[in-house]
Amino acid sequence: MWIGTECGLGYMTDGVYAHNGEAVYNPVSSIKELDEEHILALGKDGLVKMRKEDLQTVDVHYSVGTSWLEHVLVTRKGEVWFASSRNDSTYLYVLNDSLDVRYEGYLGHDLSVAGICELPSGDVYLATDEMVTVLDSDTGEVSEVFALKTLLGGAGKVHFMLPYRRDQLLFGIAGKGFYAYVPSDGSVRHIIHQQTLSAENYVCFVDKDDRIWLSDKKSAVRTYNPKGVYIHFNPQGEDKSKEVAHLYFDGEGWLWVN
């Protein structure tokens, strides 16, 4: 378990917590697994590729806006995709496994990015507050997903976009709720009708069994399973703080709530 903190990089193994206090990487806002030997830590110096064995730095990529990226995708090919903003403009970057830039493209002015996802087909989808696009890093071609244009056009805000049911995408749209998009036939369906996502912000996670775990960051976690049942999940007790920042399932099936 890799843990990013305001004081550097921490990790837990065999029930023991350890900490790497390298000040140069403070704070660590996010951690991604690159491959069996390396992790990608996001800190004030940008994206840092580190060996798991000894946490030594292998490669570094830094550009304006990369210190606090919210959406970073590591693809099956080992590429690193992220969207970064500077001077009110948003750009898409694709790095190779050595963190060298393979592609840089302009996305638009004053855009808010809701997610970057890869499906089993290898297609990479990017959602903003205006549209959803499919991107090809080899050709630089960007195609808008028109099946979602009407739905997203009047939404004002997309809270999140996540992979769902292996070959689908799950969208959380402010004031409207959950929608599942099926790329193979272009269909869009409204699911979980009792949840309209009317709060300001959400954290959401889809596990390997397609259960949806959701919190508005102020309340306890609720989970929705494929049978359509909501379960109130509050492991800390009613008298404890309920602010939820992250949800994550580890390889053994344990749910971690921060």
PDB file of all heavy atoms in Angstrom, residues 164-165 209-211 224-229:
ATOM      1  N   TYR A 164     -16.461   1.032 -16.044  1.00  0.00           N
ATOM      2  CA  TYR A 164     -17.598   0.355 -15.418  1.00  0.00           C
ATOM      3  C   TYR A 164     -17.963  -0.875 -16.238  1.00  0.00           C
ATOM      4  O   TYR A 164     -17.967  -0.823 -17.477  1.00  0.00           O
ATOM      5  CB  TYR A 164     -18.774   1.328 -15.344  1.00  0.00           C
ATOM      6  CG  TYR A 164     -20.032   0.786 -14.697  1.00  0.00           C
ATOM      7  CD1 TYR A 164     -20.029   0.358 -13.379  1.00  0.00           C
ATOM      8  CD2 TYR A 164     -21.227   0.731 -15.406  1.00  0.00           C
ATOM      9  CE1 TYR A 164     -21.186  -0.124 -12.782  1.00  0.00           C
ATOM     10  CE2 TYR A 164     -22.391   0.259 -14.817  1.00  0.00           C
ATOM     11  CZ  TYR A 164     -22.354  -0.166 -13.496  1.00  0.00           C
ATOM     12  OH  TYR A 164     -23.500  -0.648 -12.901  1.00  0.00           O
ATOM     13  N   ARG A 165     -18.249  -1.992 -15.563  1.00  0.00           N
ATOM     14  CA  ARG A 165     -18.653  -3.237 -16.217  1.00  0.00           C
ATOM     15  C   ARG A 165     -17.713  -3.621 -17.376  1.00  0.00           C
ATOM     16  O   ARG A 165     -18.139  -3.943 -18.469  1.00  0.00           O
ATOM     17  CB  ARG A 165     -20.096  -3.140 -16.707  1.00  0.00           C
ATOM     18  CG  ARG A 165     -21.117  -3.071 -15.597  1.00  0.00           C
ATOM     19  CD  ARG A 165     -22.521  -3.075 -16.146  1.00  0.00           C
ATOM     20  NE  ARG A 165     -23.514  -3.015 -15.085  1.00  0.00           N
ATOM     21  CZ  ARG A 165     -24.002  -4.081 -14.460  1.00  0.00           C
ATOM     22  NH1 ARG A 165     -23.598  -5.272 -14.803  1.00  0.00           N
ATOM     23  NH2 ARG A 165     -24.895  -3.944 -13.491  1.00  0.00           N
ATOM     24  N   ASP A 209     -16.298  -6.008  -8.751  1.00  0.00           N
ATOM     25  CA  ASP A 209     -17.625  -6.617  -8.873  1.00  0.00           C
ATOM     26  C   ASP A 209     -18.670  -5.610  -9.341  1.00  0.00           C
ATOM     27  O   ASP A 209     -19.872  -5.859  -9.224  1.00  0.00           O
ATOM     28  CB  ASP A 209     -18.050  -7.239  -7.546  1.00  0.00           C
ATOM     29  CG  ASP A 209     -17.129  -8.373  -7.118  1.00  0.00           C
ATOM     30  OD1 ASP A 209     -16.788  -9.197  -7.995  1.00  0.00           O
ATOM     31  OD2 ASP A 209     -16.744  -8.423  -5.941  1.00  0.00           O
ATOM     32  N   ASP A 210     -18.218  -4.462  -9.833  1.00  0.00           N
ATOM     33  CA  ASP A 210     -19.069  -3.395 -10.373  1.00  0.00           C
ATOM     34  C   ASP A 210     -19.962  -2.750  -9.317  1.00  0.00           C
ATOM     35  O   ASP A 210     -20.985  -2.143  -9.652  1.00  0.00           O
ATOM     36  CB  ASP A 210     -19.936  -3.910 -11.535  1.00  0.00           C
ATOM     37  CG  ASP A 210     -19.089  -4.301 -12.729  1.00  0.00           C
ATOM     38  OD1 ASP A 210     -18.169  -3.541 -13.051  1.00  0.00           O
ATOM     39  OD2 ASP A 210     -19.329  -5.365 -13.317  1.00  0.00           O
ATOM     40  N   ARG A 211     -19.602  -2.873  -8.057  1.00  0.00           N
ATOM     41  CA  ARG A 211     -20.291  -2.109  -7.035  1.00  0.00           C
ATOM     42  C   ARG A 211     -19.748  -0.690  -7.032  1.00  0.00           C
ATOM     43  O   ARG A 211     -18.546  -0.476  -7.208  1.00  0.00           O
ATOM     44  CB  ARG A 211     -20.111  -2.747  -5.654  1.00  0.00           C
ATOM     45  CG  ARG A 211     -20.887  -4.040  -5.466  1.00  0.00           C
ATOM     46  CD  ARG A 211     -20.531  -4.713  -4.166  1.00  0.00           C
ATOM     47  NE  ARG A 211     -19.119  -5.086  -4.159  1.00  0.00           N
ATOM     48  CZ  ARG A 211     -18.576  -5.867  -3.222  1.00  0.00           C
ATOM     49  NH1 ARG A 211     -19.309  -6.325  -2.240  1.00  0.00           N
ATOM     50  NH2 ARG A 211     -17.292  -6.180  -3.288  1.00  0.00           N
ATOM     51  N   TYR A 224     -23.601   0.946  -3.942  1.00  0.00           N
ATOM     52  CA  TYR A 224     -24.692   0.479  -4.784  1.00  0.00           C
ATOM     53  C   TYR A 224     -24.225  -0.772  -5.500  1.00  0.00           C
ATOM     54  O   TYR A 224     -23.202  -0.754  -6.191  1.00  0.00           O
ATOM     55  CB  TYR A 224     -25.079   1.559  -5.794  1.00  0.00           C
ATOM     56  CG  TYR A 224     -26.019   1.087  -6.869  1.00  0.00           C
ATOM     57  CD1 TYR A 224     -27.381   1.002  -6.629  1.00  0.00           C
ATOM     58  CD2 TYR A 224     -25.536   0.716  -8.112  1.00  0.00           C
ATOM     59  CE1 TYR A 224     -28.248   0.552  -7.618  1.00  0.00           C
ATOM     60  CE2 TYR A 224     -26.390   0.268  -9.109  1.00  0.00           C
ATOM     61  CZ  TYR A 224     -27.744   0.188  -8.851  1.00  0.00           C
ATOM     62  OH  TYR A 224     -28.587  -0.264  -9.826  1.00  0.00           O
ATOM     63  N   ASN A 225     -24.939  -1.877  -5.329  1.00  0.00           N
ATOM     64  CA  ASN A 225     -24.547  -3.103  -6.012  1.00  0.00           C
ATOM     65  C   ASN A 225     -25.417  -3.323  -7.246  1.00  0.00           C
ATOM     66  O   ASN A 225     -26.420  -2.641  -7.438  1.00  0.00           O
ATOM     67  CB  ASN A 225     -24.590  -4.306  -5.047  1.00  0.00           C
ATOM     68  CG  ASN A 225     -26.003  -4.646  -4.602  1.00  0.00           C
ATOM     69  OD1 ASN A 225     -26.964  -4.483  -5.351  1.00  0.00           O
ATOM     70  ND2 ASN A 225     -26.139  -5.136  -3.381  1.00  0.00           N
ATOM     71  N   PRO A 226     -25.036  -4.250  -8.135  1.00  0.00           N
ATOM     72  CA  PRO A 226     -25.788  -4.444  -9.384  1.00  0.00           C
ATOM     73  C   PRO A 226     -27.260  -4.793  -9.190  1.00  0.00           C
ATOM     74  O   PRO A 226     -28.051  -4.652 -10.124  1.00  0.00           O
ATOM     75  CB  PRO A 226     -25.033  -5.595 -10.062  1.00  0.00           C
ATOM     76  CG  PRO A 226     -23.647  -5.495  -9.536  1.00  0.00           C
ATOM     77  CD  PRO A 226     -23.806  -5.058  -8.109  1.00  0.00           C
ATOM     78  N   LYS A 227     -27.651  -5.235  -8.001  1.00  0.00           N
ATOM     79  CA  LYS A 227     -29.053  -5.568  -7.757  1.00  0.00           C
ATOM     80  C   LYS A 227     -29.899  -4.357  -7.378  1.00  0.00           C
ATOM     81  O   LYS A 227     -31.099  -4.473  -7.183  1.00  0.00           O
ATOM     82  CB  LYS A 227     -29.152  -6.626  -6.656  1.00  0.00           C
ATOM     83  CG  LYS A 227     -28.542  -7.968  -7.047  1.00  0.00           C
ATOM     84  CD  LYS A 227     -28.707  -8.986  -5.941  1.00  0.00           C
ATOM     85  CE  LYS A 227     -28.107 -10.329  -6.337  1.00  0.00           C
ATOM     86  NZ  LYS A 227     -28.247 -11.341  -5.266  1.00  0.00           N
ATOM     87  N   GLY A 228     -29.255  -3.216  -7.238  1.00  0.00           N
ATOM     88  CA  GLY A 228     -30.011  -1.988  -7.019  1.00  0.00           C
ATOM     89  C   GLY A 228     -30.284  -1.637  -5.582  1.00  0.00           C
ATOM     90  O   GLY A 228     -31.234  -0.933  -5.285  1.00  0.00           O
ATOM     91  N   VAL A 229     -29.443  -2.105  -4.653  1.00  0.00           N
ATOM     92  CA  VAL A 229     -29.675  -1.847  -3.229  1.00  0.00           C
ATOM     93  C   VAL A 229     -28.602  -0.906  -2.694  1.00  0.00           C
ATOM     94  O   VAL A 229     -27.408  -1.115  -2.911  1.00  0.00           O
ATOM     95  CB  VAL A 229     -29.651  -3.165  -2.430  1.00  0.00           C
ATOM     96  CG1 VAL A 229     -29.858  -2.884  -0.950  1.00  0.00           C
ATOM     97  CG2 VAL A 229     -30.727  -4.110  -2.951  1.00  0.00           C
TER      98      VAL A 229
END
